[in-house]
Amino acid sequence: MRRLTMIPALAFLFLFTTAYAAPTTRPAPPKAPDNVDAHFDVEYAKPNDKPPLLDLFVPKDAKGKLPLVVAIHGGGWIGGDKRYTPLVPLTTKGYVVASINYRFSNEAIYPAQSHDCKAAIRWLRANAAEYHIDPDHVGVWGDSAGGHLVALLGTTNGNKKLEGEEGNSKMSSGVQAVCDFYGPTDMLSINSQAGPDDQIHADAPESLVSKLLGGPAPDHKENANAASPVTFVTKEAAPFLIMHGDKDPVVPLAQSEELRDALQKAGVEVELYVVKGSGHGFGGNHPEIPEKVNAFFDKHLKSQ
């Protein structure tokens, strides 16, 4: 079996501080493999005068419908870019891959980010036939802030507040599999779970969490709950594969444990894989990680 070579996830070491600044220039488009048709900067919604975009990678030899995996990047909800996605090699395993951008918190506070992610899923379903996508087999992967957003996709299908009003309203934003790399899951418990040396100040007025919510979580409890995947867990949630380093100084491991426990209690299939000795972004050589990701998506998107 061909392995998916995943580049190390970007380790935004100051996810909950003010130290991270969005890049001033956008990266050049990646070179797509020769056997892939790449579609860059596709507009999928129009929430304002700066429409969010996605990239789409379709195997050239695609015949019929293929499962889709959508990548959502991290970056503290204020940085990062779809063009860094490590998932393009999944096209060699019979998948269509999409990677999306979404509005940052300095453009619009939550739930704008959820609205964009759901609009992207609906757009991809509405255009499935053109891109060889099987609309009934859609998975998502995200790291850090992107892990938070994919966890919301897996737990909030049909939630009117989080769906937004952008395009393709007749299409579902539901997904069939969620791979969450060290994403925040409970905006009200995250500070209390942090250790004394962790880089978390989620309740500080200028933290990235506060910028996402429109202010400190304790002062914006309704929006904090609405931004917390654990709030929405029911038996209808998608299957989850969660990965988290046990030395993560940015998002406490307890955040992923809390989501795992909620999913298990609801009877949802979930695995939490703890990467021993690893921080935020893992780092080092962990061949078991791409193998587990491959097997998870194969199980839930190809064998159903």
Side-chain angles (χ1 to χ4, degrees), residues 219-230:
D219 300 331
H220 294 76
K221 288 185 178 180
E222 182 178 356
N223 209 22
N225 278 320
S228 299
V230 294

Side-chain angles (χ1 to χ4, degrees), residues 32-290:
D34 292 338
N35 62 341
V36 171
D37 285 324
H39 308 268
F40 295 114
D41 294 335
V42 179
E43 182 180 303
Y44 68 80
K46 294 183 178 180
N48 52 33
D49 59 358
K50 183 185 175 184
L53 307 174
L54 61 80
D55 295 340
L56 195 56
F57 304 90
V58 184
K60 288 183 178 179
D61 61 356
K63 294 180 176 63
K65 298 184 293 185
L66 300 178
L68 168 69
V69 177
V70 181
I72 303 180
H73 66 78
W77 307 283
I78 199 169
D81 195 279
K82 60 184 171 57
R83 302 200 179 191
Y84 292 112
T85 181
L87 298 192
V88 176
L90 274 176
T91 56
T92 66
K93 296 182 84 277
Y95 289 90
V96 176
V97 172
S99 182
I100 73 168
N101 278 346
Y102 49 89
R103 281 173 288 174
F104 293 146
S105 59
N106 59 356
E107 301 171 84
I109 65 170
Y110 187 83
Q113 297 71 29
S114 180
H115 291 173
D116 290 352
C117 293
K118 288 174 175 287
I121 300 295
R122 292 196 298 268
W123 186 94
L124 288 160
R125 278 205 167 92
N127 293 275
E130 181 177 353
Y131 297 106
H132 293 277
I133 293 169
D134 180 348
D136 297 323
H137 293 84
V138 177
V140 286
W141 170 93
D143 64 318
S144 198
H148 163 253
L149 293 172
V150 298
L152 283 165
L153 282 171
T155 56
T156 63
N157 184 33
N159 183 294
K160 291 183 178 180
K161 180 177 179 179
L162 302 185
E163 288 290 337
E165 299 178 353
E166 283 301 312
N168 306 294
S169 60
K170 294 182 180 180
M171 294 291 168
S172 169
S173 67
V175 298
Q176 285 68 58
V178 177
C179 184
D180 162 17
F181 277 21
Y182 44 86
T185 68
D186 187 336
M187 299 303 185
L188 291 171
S189 70
I190 192 167
N191 263 11
S192 64
Q193 294 171 347
D197 299 323
D198 286 352
Q199 302 162 356
I200 290 179
H201 311 285
D203 295 348
E206 294 302 313
S207 76
L208 295 185
V209 169
S210 295
K211 290 180 178 179
L212 176 72
L213 299 178
D219 300 331
H220 294 76
K221 288 185 178 180
E222 182 178 356
N223 209 22
N225 278 320
S228 299
V230 294
T231 301
F232 303 101
V233 171
T234 69
K235 65 179 181 180
E236 305 301 326
F240 270 71
L241 171 62
I242 306 171
M243 294 196 176
H244 210 128
D246 65 351
K247 304 297 182 183
D248 191 331
V250 180
V251 179
L253 172 60
Q255 287 280 288
S256 287
E257 293 173 334
E258 185 176 347
L259 179 58
R260 176 204 57 197
D261 293 347
L263 290 164
Q264 286 181 338
K265 184 176 180 179
V268 177
E269 181 178 339
V270 57
E271 177 186 357
L272 170 59
Y273 180 73
V274 178
V275 185
K276 299 295 185 182
S278 290
H280 200 68
F282 303 146
N285 182 30
H286 299 281
E288 78 281 7
I289 292 177

